[in-house]
Amino acid sequence: MVEDEDDSSDDPNLELELSAFRAQWMSELKPSSGASGTSHQLLQAKGLRRTQDIVREEKATELFLRAVQEEQNGAVYEAIKFYRMAMQLVPDIEFKINYSRPPDTERVGRNYMENSDIDGDIEDLLAYFEQQLTVESPFPKICSPALEMTQMHISALPREILMYIFRWVVSSDLDMRALEQLSLVCRGFYICARDPEIWRLACLRVWGRNCTKLVPFKSWREMFLQRPRVRFDGVYISKTSYIRQGEESLDGFYRAWHHVEYYRYLRFFPDGQVIMLTTPEDPLSVVPRLRTRNTRMESVLLGHFRLSQETDNQTKVFAVVCKKKEEQKATEFQRNRFCRRNPAPEAEHSFHVGLHLSSGGRPNVSKLVWIHHSCHITYKLTGETVVTAFDLDRMYTPFFFARVKSYTAFSEQPL
């Protein structure tokens, strides 16, 4: 103790800090007496309770805003879970939230497509990770095991093999979300996930021959995230509702009115295929059955689509869909069964759809607006084609995208 005091006497500031600390420590050890001590304890308890309430309300606000975001994305079950957690913390949280406040991009922007932070920060972070791996070892590895292992670790694989594994993760279904999640494992996986070849192949799968030039984008990843395109990790949904006048009652006293409501669904796939469905069933029951191309739902229209960017700087989607062959044969058989004497001429029906991509007020392209819709009837005997164009009235509401978490890649082919 004497040596410590002698050493500390050379620094007056340190001696003052030690004296203040001893005085505060002794005052805290003395038992508080009288009304002043009780009031001091009450004030401390109130301050602590107030701090806990503020922290609880901030956490509830975060959960409630997350629930709102999940509900907007179509994930109803996830939204209900976050709503319940928020109301368990603060029962009246929905009346305390300031909705005009800008959302927290760190919480709300977890979707890498909606908040594609492809600024200089990503480039600097990539270079920083590469520099760290080079400094740590003259022969840098992608990653290193945290614990000693008796079996072979993935870091022993060559980088070429790892890149091939990453292509399997993305797969032919273009599950870029899985690639982004894989990049969070370690620095080496982050570097591999930013490999330009993976993102170039993904761009080729989406735009084909129309993406030979990288300009005006800085990288293939930036092109994939910023250039307008249709999304493959969910369903585009259009809800239509209207009031229809019914028949008059027998006594003529009243006339019924019917509220009609139905949905149109569009599901796009990276290989150019598309599914279109019109049904009164709600999305909760329909969306899970549109995960694959081999859906067994009735009245499903299958076809192909293509992207087109014209001189008006609008990205448009053109699709041609028709019924499945099995359904066409069953329909013709039932029609000829009741009309054997004068059977209806055999014909093929195809529907031509034109849409253009719109942001819909969001950073990503999540809205499809109708351009045209027509039905082409081709008679097999004569080869004649009759085209019927539909009027795009209030019955043709825009499509809005709903991301589905279960739409992950399960393809058996790499990118």
Side-chain angles (χ1 to χ4, degrees), residues 294-361:
N294 302 322
T295 178
R296 296 183 179 181
M297 297 183 64
E298 297 181 356
S299 67
V300 169
L301 302 178
L302 304 177
H304 293 80
F305 75 95
R306 64 179 179 88
L307 294 176
S308 174
Q309 189 162 4
E310 300 178 357
T311 56
D312 55 358
N313 203 22
Q314 282 188 351
T315 302
K316 300 179 180 179
V317 184
F318 298 100
V320 179
V321 294
C322 59
K323 290 184 178 181
K324 292 188 290 187
K325 300 297 182 181
E326 296 81 2
E327 292 187 6
Q328 288 182 359
K329 293 179 180 179
T331 305
E332 292 176 0
F333 174 77
Q334 291 183 357
R335 187 188 303 117
N336 296 332
R337 180 182 177 185
F338 297 102
C339 305
R340 293 182 178 179
R341 294 184 178 179
N342 298 316
E346 296 183 0
E348 292 183 355
H349 295 71
S350 61
F351 297 90
H352 293 237
V353 177
L355 307 158
H356 77 81
L357 293 166
S358 176
S359 62

Side-chain angles (χ1 to χ4, degrees), residues 4 35 45 47 83 126 155 173 195 218 244 246 299 346 356 370:
D4 293 339
Y83 278 134
L126 183 62
S155 60
D173 289 338
D195 186 74
K218 298 179 182 179
R244 180 174 61 85
S299 67
E346 296 183 0
H356 77 81
W370 288 89

Side-chain angles (χ1 to χ4, degrees), residues 168-185:
W168 273 96
V169 171
V170 177
S171 79
S172 58
D173 289 338
L174 290 186
D175 190 4
M176 309 307 293
R177 177 178 298 277
L179 181 67
E180 293 293 307
Q181 293 174 345
L182 190 60
S183 68
L184 302 177
V185 173

Side-chain angles (χ1 to χ4, degrees), residues 199-375:
W199 294 94
R200 187 186 71 85
L201 294 174
C203 292
L204 287 175
R205 287 294 306 274
V206 175
W207 293 285
R209 295 176 297 177
N210 295 326
C211 71
T212 55
K213 296 182 180 179
L214 192 58
V215 180
F217 304 101
K218 298 179 182 179
S219 63
W220 294 106
R221 182 174 183 271
E222 181 179 351
M223 174 188 286
F224 187 88
L225 297 178
Q226 285 195 349
R227 187 173 176 180
R229 58 180 176 81
V230 293
R231 296 180 57 176
F232 310 120
D233 56 341
V235 181
Y236 288 88
I237 304 174
S238 170
K239 180 180 178 181
T240 303
S241 60
Y242 62 93
I243 303 296
R244 180 174 61 85
Q245 187 176 6
E247 296 182 359
E248 192 174 313
S249 62
L250 296 177
D251 54 2
F253 184 71
Y254 69 92
R255 181 185 294 272
W257 291 84
H258 304 281
H259 179 256
V260 182
E261 183 176 283
Y262 63 92
Y263 298 86
R264 289 189 179 97
Y265 300 91
L266 276 176
R267 171 83 164 98
F268 296 97
F269 295 93
D271 59 355
Q273 296 190 29
V274 61
I275 294 177
M276 186 174 181
L277 175 65
T278 303
T279 177
E281 298 184 46
D282 61 342
L284 287 178
S285 60
V286 174
V287 169
R289 291 183 282 175
L290 293 179
R291 182 177 179 181
T292 64
R293 306 168 184 83
N294 302 322
T295 178
R296 296 183 179 181
M297 297 183 64
E298 297 181 356
S299 67
V300 169
L301 302 178
L302 304 177
H304 293 80
F305 75 95
R306 64 179 179 88
L307 294 176
S308 174
Q309 189 162 4
E310 300 178 357
T311 56
D312 55 358
N313 203 22
Q314 282 188 351
T315 302
K316 300 179 180 179
V317 184
F318 298 100
V320 179
V321 294
C322 59
K323 290 184 178 181
K324 292 188 290 187
K325 300 297 182 181
E326 296 81 2
E327 292 187 6
Q328 288 182 359
K329 293 179 180 179
T331 305
E332 292 176 0
F333 174 77
Q334 291 183 357
R335 187 188 303 117
N336 296 332
R337 180 182 177 185
F338 297 102
C339 305
R340 293 182 178 179
R341 294 184 178 179
N342 298 316
E346 296 183 0
E348 292 183 355
H349 295 71
S350 61
F351 297 90
H352 293 237
V353 177
L355 307 158
H356 77 81
L357 293 166
S358 176
S359 62
R362 298 182 183 180
N364 62 322
V365 180
S366 58
K367 182 179 178 181
L368 293 176
V369 182
W370 288 89
I371 300 176
H372 71 83
H373 185 206
S374 60
C375 177

